Amino acid sequence: MSDKHIYLDHSATTYIKPQVFDEMLPYLNTYYGNPSSIYAMSHKTEQAIDQARERVALALGAEKAEIFFTGGGSEADNWALKGIAFANKHRGNHIITTKIEHHAILHACEFLERNGFEVTYLPVDAEGLVDPEAVRQAITDKTLLVSVMFANNEIGTIEPVKAIGQICREKKVLFHTDAVQAVGHAPIDVKDMNIDLLTLAAHKFYGPKGVGALYIRRGVKIDSLIHGGGQERGKRAGTENIAGIVGLGKALELAVAEMPAENKRLAALRDKLIKGLTRIPHTRLNGPAGDKRMPGNVNVCFQFIEGESLLLLLDSKGISASSGSACTSGSLDPSHVLLAIGLPHEIAHGSLRLTLGSSTTEADIDYVLEVLPGIVQRLRDMSPLWKNYLQAQANASGHAV
Ligand SMILES: *Cc1c(COP(=O)(O)O)cnc(C)c1O
């Protein structure tokens, strides 16, 4: 184990910032009243939830009554898809999404396919971008819902959400976006962007885990996923996760306030890291460069090596990173996102995702750039693919002589 600890996996999850924790704490030990009760302490918790709802609404350009708290991003994604599908099935059975969505979307779509719905999975280009015109062409008179993520969690691509929202509005089809990677990190205005439903999760912007929200535009018909008490205006039952909701609201308020300066800082560190890494021979950047990429995302493939072994060696140097995404590591399949941008299996296997955040300093980036080339070389020296490549090179130059 190294003494150093450099955390470069902020897209998998983040820590709770101290200001957020301080606001949450009293709701774990002092103000524990059930918001549905009538005594004074309950009133205090009810007000805290109300303030958090107000903060989320403000951050998204929504109204307070359009924000519904959930138990995280996956729940909100499932709710959006299944809730819209079942509430509107008299109007059609077709859903449009993309090949690069998070598994919370893809696996919910597969569930819907097993229950009589039809799903179109749109392809993306080599940078991971969805073509809005492809969305238009995929819409039929049976289409209920289009779900396209705001920003991809693996390769950082920012999708043309506003253009897609515009097309959906014209065609009178509902538009959901999984904005878990974007909320608190990119400017969002649900009204301006024609978004009908939007998913967010607190732990991706320095709030607590296990709490998220679904924005549902006023007037949209949606079924509940969790039935029970009358919480969240009868749409999502269960005693509220008060401390979690308070943390979500505070974390989002902070993230929005810090966004302009923080994004500038992160984009500069990101570009320095990309520049340094792509100097390593046989290395490619996955996803776009510049403004179409999330400021904290770096994703590269080192040819001839295996992502998992890379992660272990990085860990031994104190660097926490991921290959593909947190949800796919542990499986031997290459990332569905890297395959969708057209990478062959053997290259997709050698991917590394480094996601920067508020704790990341320039010294961290320098350290990564100092140790990574040696690690990549060490792994290549052990790789049969690399030996084959060197042999092929030698043969080719032999013939040339
Ligand atoms: C993390 C993530 C989710 C899942 O959110 P949870 O809060 O972990 O359930 C969904 N979509 C995207 C794009 C994510 O990055």
Side-chain angles (χ1 to χ4, degrees):
M1 259 299 275
S2 163
D3 292 340
K4 264 196 191 301
H5 186 206
I6 296 178
Y7 182 76
L8 289 173
D9 206 14
H10 289 85
S11 285
T13 194
T14 56
Y15 31 85
I16 298 178
K17 282 192 176 170
Q19 303 99 303
V20 174
F21 182 75
D22 289 347
E23 279 209 23
M24 291 173 65
L25 195 57
Y27 295 96
L28 289 166
N29 57 12
T30 308
Y31 307 117
Y32 51 81
N34 192 318
S36 305
S37 305
I38 59 163
Y39 33 81
M41 188 181 18
S42 304
H43 193 55
K44 174 92 182 160
T45 54
E46 201 188 332
Q47 277 178 334
I49 293 174
D50 192 64
Q51 185 191 32
R53 207 183 303 282
E54 177 98 56
R55 284 170 164 170
V56 176
L58 195 66
L60 300 179
E63 292 163 31
K64 222 165 55 173
E66 297 175 316
I67 307 300
F68 297 85
F69 293 113
T70 67
S74 299
E75 183 191 321
D77 279 344
N78 273 266
W79 185 13
L81 266 63
K82 297 173 190 173
I84 291 298
F86 287 115
N88 297 279
K89 61 176 189 287
H90 57 283
R91 291 180 37 218
N93 71 338
H94 182 226
I95 293 162
I96 298 169
T97 187
T98 81
K99 291 187 174 174
I100 62 162
E101 299 297 310
H102 189 275
H103 283 137
I105 295 290
L106 293 177
H107 292 168
C109 282
E110 287 165 21
F111 168 83
L112 288 170
E113 285 180 291
R114 293 194 298 273
N115 285 275
F117 292 90
E118 276 171 28
V119 182
T120 300
Y121 300 89
L122 293 174
V124 294
D125 72 7
E127 294 187 329
L129 285 158
V130 177
D131 177 2
E133 284 311 308
V135 175
R136 186 196 300 279
Q137 261 142 48
I139 294 174
T140 71
D141 54 6
K142 293 246 173 65
T143 310
L144 297 174
L145 177 70
V146 171
S147 180
V148 177
M149 69 198 321
F150 202 110
N152 183 266
N153 46 306
E154 293 190 34
I155 59 173
T157 310
I158 301 172
E159 299 297 344
V161 163
K162 184 172 172 171
I164 296 169
Q166 180 72 44
I167 290 167
C168 293
R169 195 57 57 90
E170 279 168 29
K171 297 273 193 178
K172 298 189 168 53
V173 169
L174 293 171
F175 176 45
H176 166 253
T177 185
D178 173 348
V180 173
Q181 290 292 330
V183 170
H185 304 284
I188 298 179
D189 183 317
V190 289
K191 301 284 185 272
D192 176 57
M193 295 175 160
N194 304 300
I195 297 167
D196 297 306
L197 302 112
L198 175 145
T199 295
L200 63 92
H203 73 113
K204 304 287 174 85
F205 50 82
Y206 311 99
K209 296 174 189 29
V211 59
L214 185 63
Y215 153 79
I216 308 171
R217 186 172 57 77
R218 189 189 288 277
V220 167
K221 270 189 62 191
I222 187 163
D223 276 358
S224 292
L225 211 57
I226 316 285
H227 298 95
Q231 293 91 351
E232 298 297 292
R233 280 143 295 138
K235 282 197 158 67
R236 197 278 186 183
T239 302
E240 297 87 342
N241 173 4
I242 303 159
I245 290 169
V246 166
L248 187 158
K250 180 63 183 176
L252 185 50
E253 185 184 70
L254 262 181
V256 169
E258 292 172 355
M259 193 189 298
E262 180 64 354
N263 279 0
K264 220 170 132 198
R265 189 185 78 86
L266 288 176
L269 293 178
R270 171 198 69 189
D271 291 342
K272 177 175 180 169
L273 185 53
I274 290 174
K275 203 166 152 202
L277 292 178
T278 48
R279 278 207 193 102
I280 300 174
H282 309 288
T283 301
R284 58 156 284 152
L285 175 68
N286 300 315
D291 290 348
K292 286 184 194 155
R293 185 179 200 100
M294 287 302 288
N297 177 287
V298 174
N299 188 312
V300 290
C301 281
F302 302 107
Q303 222 181 319
F304 313 113
I305 66 175
E306 225 269 307
E308 299 288 309
S309 17
L310 186 59
L311 294 186
L312 292 175
L313 289 185
L314 282 172
D315 189 34
S316 74
K317 299 276 187 194
I319 300 168
S320 307
S322 80
S323 175
S325 78
C327 321
T328 43
S329 56
S331 99
L332 286 176
D333 295 336
S335 139
H336 64 286
V337 176
L338 296 181
L339 296 180
I341 62 172
L343 295 191
H345 278 242
E346 67 274 15
I347 294 184
H349 269 303
S351 72
L352 174 69
R353 183 185 74 171
L354 299 165
T355 45
L356 289 51
S358 74
S359 66
T360 311
T361 63
E362 184 145 23
D364 294 346
I365 302 302
D366 291 336
Y367 176 70
V368 172
L369 290 175
E370 188 189 309
V371 301
L372 240 167
I375 292 178
V376 169
Q377 195 51 54
R378 213 174 122 192
L379 290 169
R380 281 183 179 161
D381 288 342
M382 301 189 291
S383 156
L385 297 169
W386 178 242
K387 286 203 185 78
N388 292 347
Y389 171 77
L390 292 180
Q391 190 62 52
Q393 291 293 101
N395 290 347
S397 60
H399 289 305
V401 176

